[in-house]
Amino acid sequence: MLSQPSAALSQLEFVQVFLTLEFTEPYGLRFEQLLRLRRNLRQTAAGELLDRRAFAALFEPEVATDPYARRRHQRPGPPFVIHPPVTFPPMLSASDRVELPVVLFGPGIPLLPDFCRVFQELGARGFHRGEGRFTLVEVAARDLAGNRMPIHFSNEGRPAPLPVSHAGWFLDQFTAASAVELRLQTPARLLSGGRPLFRPRFQTLFPFLLRRVSSMAAAYGAVELIDDPGLFLAASEAVVERENRLAWRDWR
């Protein structure tokens, strides 16, 4: 079961921002390139663009030092998630724009200026082999009312106060429902027994989701969300799939 759900969920803070990229040259942007953005950003930030502390916090999150947490959780992912747009023109022209929704969690929120700096540098270099250059022309954030507010940075690079939300508030927006749709856009390879899951069922997918959510909550909210994972794993067996369109795609 969840441990102290209301108190725990209020500690999981996040900010949703929208980065608008304006291309300065024609470019055939492919969806798989957007899925590899995190890797490209890490490569761009390596070196002297960011100080070591900011680079490590954004791209090399540490394994928990607490022995109990190390046994329970995997290494967390970076404190941000990029949601690539599903549709965009197959061939972008100069001045065309692409909007990228991004969520930053907990300690990643004050690193927004560093995150934007990496995007600006990637734009100067281009998406791939010097091609696909762009500029970061706008940063906006979603407030608690669902409105977007432009984010302006000071001369020191700090953004204006950001509208911080938390997981408890987010979940309160949903009503109880018997049907839920999960949409996954990820370059992750899911392996079971050393073999790829070519068409995973919900029950085979759920343990991966449970591990990722619990490890991110522990890393970026200092929260142990789940007392007994076995209860959730057992409950997942009762879920009935109405439709499953998940399929393996080898981008290479």
Side-chain angles (χ1 to χ4, degrees):
M1 61 183 295
L2 288 177
S3 59
Q4 300 178 353
S6 58
L9 293 175
S10 66
Q11 296 182 56
L12 300 176
E13 295 183 332
F14 69 91
V15 166
Q16 185 178 25
V17 298
F18 302 87
L19 308 185
T20 301
L21 316 181
E22 182 175 284
F23 282 77
T24 58
E25 60 186 10
Y27 186 61
L29 181 62
R30 303 189 304 275
F31 184 67
E32 60 265 32
Q33 290 178 311
L34 293 175
L35 290 179
R36 293 198 297 263
L37 251 180
R38 195 174 75 183
R39 183 193 67 177
N40 292 351
L41 291 170
R42 186 185 188 281
Q43 292 174 342
T44 301
E48 299 182 356
L49 181 63
L50 302 181
D51 62 49
R52 182 60 194 171
R53 180 200 60 81
F55 178 84
L58 277 173
F59 300 104
E60 293 182 350
E62 296 181 353
V63 178
T65 56
D66 177 61
Y68 175 78
R70 290 174 69 99
R71 289 194 303 270
R72 285 179 60 89
H73 303 297
Q74 62 184 188
R75 179 188 292 272
F80 64 87
V81 173
I82 300 172
H83 296 278
V86 177
T87 58
F88 50 86
M91 188 67 192
L92 295 167
S93 302
S95 77
D96 278 352
R97 295 186 173 189
V98 172
E99 182 182 82
L100 291 178
V102 179
V103 177
L104 295 102
F105 302 103
I109 296 173
L111 295 174
L112 177 61
D114 297 293
F115 188 71
C116 291
R117 193 187 319 162
V118 178
F119 255 101
Q120 290 171 328
E121 180 62 24
L122 177 63
R125 299 183 184 186
F127 257 95
H128 183 63
R129 295 182 178 179
E131 297 181 345
R133 294 182 176 87
F134 62 86
T135 57
L136 178 60
V137 294
E138 183 178 286
V139 180
R142 188 190 299 273
D143 63 21
L144 297 180
N147 303 313
R148 295 192 186 186
M149 51 179 289
I151 299 300
H152 302 286
F153 294 89
S154 67
N155 293 334
E156 294 79 22
R158 293 190 299 272
L162 297 171
V164 178
S165 308
H166 61 79
W169 168 87
F170 177 77
L171 293 177
D172 285 343
Q173 311 307 303
F174 298 91
T175 58
S178 59
V180 175
E181 178 182 351
L182 295 178
R183 177 174 296 177
L184 305 179
Q185 299 170 351
T186 171
R189 291 190 302 168
L190 302 181
L191 304 178
S192 179
R195 301 184 60 186
L197 296 173
F198 289 100
R199 295 195 64 84
R201 299 168 55 244
F202 175 80
Q203 284 74 15
T204 54
L205 184 65
F206 182 72
F208 294 94
L209 300 176
L210 189 63
R211 284 196 297 270
R212 175 49 63 95
V213 170
S214 59
S215 67
M216 294 287 280
Y220 300 124
V223 169
E224 288 289 343
L225 281 181
I226 299 169
D227 290 330
D228 184 2
L231 295 177
F232 288 84
L233 295 173
S236 72
E237 296 296 327
V239 174
V240 178
E241 287 186 353
R242 300 297 185 187
E243 183 179 13
N244 187 339
R245 289 180 288 172
L246 289 175
W248 174 277
R249 290 188 181 182
D250 192 339
W251 296 110
R252 291 179 294 181

